[in-house]
Amino acid sequence: MAAINREDVAHLAQLAHIEMSDDELDRMANELAVIVDAVKSVSEAAGDDVPATSHPIPLTNVMREDVVGHVLTAEEALSGAPDAQDGRFKVPAILEES
Amino acid sequence: MSVDTILSFEEAMEKYDPVLGFEVHVELNTKTKMFSSAPNEFGDAPNTNVNEVCLGLPGVLPVVNKKAVESSILIGLALNCKIAEHCTFARKQYFYPDTPKNFQTSQYEDPICYDGWLDIELEDGTIFRVEIERAHMEEDAGKLTHMGGATGRIQGADFSLVDYNRSGVPLVEIVTKPIEGAGSRAPELAKAYVAAVREIVKNLGVSDAKMERGNVRCDANVSLRPYGQEKFGTRTETKNVNSLRAVENAVKFEIQRHGAVLDSGVKIIQETRHWHEDTKSTTSGRPKSDADDYRYFPEPDLVPIVTTSEWVEELRSRLPEPPAARRKRLQADWGYTDLEFRDVVNAALLDEIEETVTAGASAAAARKWWMGEIARRAKLADVDPAALGVSPAVVVEIEKLIASGAINDKLARKVLDGVLEGEGTPSEIVAKRGLAVVSDDAPLQKAIDEALAAQPDVAAKIRAGKIQAVGAIVGGVMKATRGQADAGRVRELILATLGVEG
């Protein structure tokens, strides 16, 4: 795996909508590089014959029946919203004027 | 907004070979959502079918809906797909207010269904095979309403309102492989493909399949390349094509637009286009860019789905007869010509005619009524024939009344009037309205005597042997009895009255 550089961190920060200062970008680039190195050691232990897993516990097919359960009222759903109107969440204009 | 230059479709087809691709999203009609037990209902008051999971609140745990998984497998089987023995969910990250979690739970590297195909029958009977790349499980987003501005569109809006009732509704996204070789039939194939998918999911009973409600939504990919070139051209993806006609028109428009762009020596930009039903054209959305870096990663809150062959085979045993096979069978059973049958299909009267035939009418009589009088009245009332209010049982009963001689075709139409006005069953209406054919000779004889008296010169001609003049008297009698007489019997009685041999 290629090392993580400052540009990668800036790109990821932009994708994740996280505002980072120059100092923070420098620091995170260094820290993430160390973390990536540490994670890399896993691939030394696991050979090609070990499939990748997404979960530590060998559990599959955790499913529920199609039965209606817990529902919130609109008031409850909107109770944490910064702004609401007509029973709906109100959000700022999505597109800038062009 | 600038208007795009386009070539005529014919010119575009002369120069370029189109390649298509479709992503069709199907909303499942499960009772609950994909990952939460909140109700999956259309049309309810905003934000009343949500819980903490649909709102993406911190610390919630999604749980997979088993019925949705089974519906997805059924769709895969109906599309001749392989079913993955093991598959996982993944997070697709992006920021948009319709997605409160800031990611959509979807599938990435290992869809539950893959490598399928569907044979599409075009209008003239040509079969075109469309290869299916994958069909995967995911969840729908909330619904945005853009407020302010002049058009209600996102451009120029002051703010937007969000209803999360649709957030988390189970979706199956069906992705085709690139479709080559359709040529000038590309727009027709596009429409026929989406129609076939819609018909299949409806027939399976896994979706309400109403395009006008967004139950089936299509993104259409189009690219052009010079004939003989193997490499695909740059494609555009047209979104918001939500009727069959729009799918056909959008594909046609993009072929014409690409043709003009390529002719002018400019490269096609790989981008999203938006279809506008009002102008029958597309406009540029955002270009593919960093925003499409979705940073998929395995969903840590959901464990893999493992399918056993027992489970898959049990689901396969539930598959209904495929719609195309059913049509072949019905046409053969009913003996309709290709043209007659196509008209029935286009009028969406297959179910009604099948029920009418099953209930005892002949296939010819069923077609006569549904495609004739009922379709005519439906057109006048501006409703679908099936929604007019005439049931297959009514058609069968009217046919029986005609066959027994109780009424004739003309009276049958009056019986239909009565049915539509809610006066009861056909037999009740015949009794109430006094519509039965007059078979008692006494009142007929009276009407005949009157008609002969009214037209003495005609009576004289008939007596003199001009038998064909009898039509004028028959007409008079039929008028006097308001069509309720049997014309053949009237003729016999007139000739007998005048002592002439028929």
Side-chain angles (χ1 to χ4, degrees), chain B residues 171-479:
Chain B
L171 283 183
V172 173
E173 178 177 342
I174 302 162
V175 183
T176 67
K177 290 182 178 157
I179 302 166
E180 302 174 62
S184 61
R185 309 200 69 173
E188 183 193 348
L189 175 65
K191 179 184 173 187
Y193 169 72
V194 178
V197 170
R198 184 185 66 164
E199 185 177 54
I200 282 172
V201 297
K202 188 177 178 204
N203 189 48
L204 287 170
V206 298
S207 172
D208 292 344
K210 292 181 180 154
M211 291 189 82
E212 66 277 18
R213 286 189 177 184
N215 297 148
V216 176
R217 311 197 288 265
C218 173
D219 300 339
N221 290 273
V222 173
S223 69
L224 298 187
R225 60 185 173 186
Y227 284 99
Q229 177 183 308
E230 200 175 318
K231 189 170 178 286
F232 295 152
T234 304
R235 68 186 164 86
T236 54
E237 179 181 5
T238 305
K239 297 204 177 262
N240 190 30
V241 264
N242 293 332
S243 72
L244 294 178
R245 183 141 295 254
V247 173
E248 183 175 25
N249 288 335
V251 165
K252 190 172 174 210
F253 179 85
E254 278 298 283
I255 288 173
Q256 292 175 275
R257 190 184 66 82
H258 281 218
V261 172
L262 295 172
D263 263 12
S264 68
V266 178
K267 283 183 178 168
I268 293 286
I269 305 163
Q270 185 176 339
E271 63 178 353
T272 301
R273 307 281 300 182
H274 294 290
W275 172 249
H276 303 290
E277 193 59 48
D278 46 356
T279 55
K280 300 275 184 290
S281 64
T282 66
T283 56
S284 175
R286 55 179 169 70
K288 293 269 175 185
S289 68
D290 279 349
D292 286 321
D293 186 346
Y294 293 123
R295 295 163 296 140
Y296 282 96
F297 70 76
E299 166 61 65
D301 289 339
L302 294 168
V303 298
I305 301 291
V306 170
T307 62
T308 61
S309 58
E310 290 78 23
W311 191 20
V312 173
E313 289 316 307
E314 192 276 316
L315 289 168
R316 195 191 302 277
S317 72
R318 289 194 219 163
L319 289 177
E321 182 183 24
R326 174 180 173 232
R327 281 197 296 273
K328 278 211 172 56
R329 175 176 60 81
L330 291 178
Q331 187 183 353
D333 285 356
W334 297 346
Y336 292 178
T337 65
D338 288 350
L339 189 65
E340 286 169 347
F341 194 76
R342 191 183 309 158
D343 287 345
V344 167
V345 171
N346 290 340
L349 284 170
L350 219 48
D351 291 347
E352 283 68 27
I353 292 181
E354 187 183 23
E355 281 177 46
T356 307
V357 172
T358 306
S362 73
R367 195 178 72 81
K368 179 188 81 180
W369 282 102
W370 285 104
M371 296 301 293
E373 195 60 22
I374 299 172
R376 191 183 65 78
R377 288 165 191 248
K379 202 175 169 192
L380 287 176
D382 201 22
V383 296
D384 286 335
L388 188 68
V390 181
S391 69
V394 164
V395 175
V396 171
E397 194 177 342
I398 289 178
E399 266 301 298
K400 276 186 185 150
L401 291 168
I402 295 173
S404 71
I407 56 173
N408 55 27
D409 272 15
K410 192 174 168 196
L411 291 170
R413 288 196 283 275
K414 291 188 177 168
V415 172
L416 208 52
D417 290 336
V419 169
L420 290 174
E421 278 164 30
E423 293 174 19
T425 68
S427 301
E428 287 166 10
I429 291 160
V430 168
K432 273 190 215 162
R433 290 198 173 193
L435 292 175
V437 169
V438 178
S439 50
D440 182 356
D441 286 350
L444 282 185
Q445 190 62 52
K446 183 167 173 282
I448 287 166
D449 291 343
E450 283 166 13
L452 288 172
Q455 303 181 77
D457 48 333
V458 178
K461 275 184 193 165
I462 298 169
R463 275 198 200 90
K466 290 197 73 174
I467 303 286
Q468 62 269 37
V470 77
I473 307 294
V474 173
V477 173
M478 294 306 284
K479 199 175 168 191

Side-chain angles (χ1 to χ4, degrees), chain A residues 16-77:
Chain A
H17 289 204
I18 298 171
E19 195 174 285
M20 293 179 77
S21 68
D22 284 351
D23 284 353
E24 285 172 320
L25 287 176
D26 287 337
R27 199 175 74 233
M28 284 311 292
N30 283 326
E31 287 184 8
L32 281 171
V34 173
I35 291 168
V36 167
D37 264 352
V39 173
K40 219 185 277 179
S41 61
V42 172
S43 59
E44 288 163 20
D48 291 343
D49 56 332
V50 179
T53 55
S54 53
H55 297 86
I57 308 163
L59 207 57
T60 60
N61 290 0
V62 176
M63 296 188 273
R64 64 184 164 79
E65 295 302 318
D66 185 28
V67 177
V68 174
H70 171 63
V71 192
L72 296 174
T73 64
E75 290 70 31
E76 288 168 333

Side-chain angles (χ1 to χ4, degrees), chain A residues 11-12 14-17 54-55 59-74 77-78 85-95 97, chain B residues 30-33 36-37 39 46-48 50-52 63-66 95 145 156-162 164 290 293 295 298-300 302-306:
Chain A
H11 177 63
L12 280 172
Q14 186 213 335
L15 288 176
H17 289 204
S54 53
H55 297 86
L59 207 57
T60 60
N61 290 0
V62 176
M63 296 188 273
R64 64 184 164 79
E65 295 302 318
D66 185 28
V67 177
V68 174
H70 171 63
V71 192
L72 296 174
T73 64
L78 293 165
Q85 182 178 316
D86 305 332
R88 288 174 287 180
F89 293 80
K90 187 173 175 182
V91 299
I94 293 164
L95 290 187
E97 282 295 333
Chain B
T30 48
K31 292 189 177 67
T32 67
K33 296 192 177 175
S36 90
S37 60
N47 295 305
T48 56
V50 296
N51 64 24
E52 293 83 348
V63 186
V64 172
N65 182 338
K66 185 180 181 190
F95 292 93
T145 308
D158 297 326
F159 60 93
S160 301
L161 297 177
V162 201
Y164 288 116
D290 279 349
D293 186 346
R295 295 163 296 140
E299 166 61 65
L302 294 168
V303 298
I305 301 291
V306 170

Side-chain angles (χ1 to χ4, degrees), chain B residues 22-89:
Chain B
F22 300 100
E23 288 154 32
V24 174
H25 287 86
V26 176
E27 270 185 350
L28 302 180
N29 59 1
T30 48
K31 292 189 177 67
T32 67
K33 296 192 177 175
M34 186 70 217
F35 303 113
S36 90
S37 60
N40 169 18
E41 278 291 339
F42 179 87
D44 286 352
N47 295 305
T48 56
N49 292 335
V50 296
N51 64 24
E52 293 83 348
V53 176
C54 325
L55 294 176
L57 297 183
V60 296
L61 192 63
V63 186
V64 172
N65 182 338
K66 185 180 181 190
K67 177 90 185 295
V69 174
E70 294 193 330
S71 295
S72 306
I73 295 173
L74 285 169
I75 290 175
L77 292 172
L79 297 173
N80 306 292
C81 285
K82 293 172 183 153
I83 306 303
E85 289 174 21
H86 181 282
C87 67
T88 59
F89 290 96

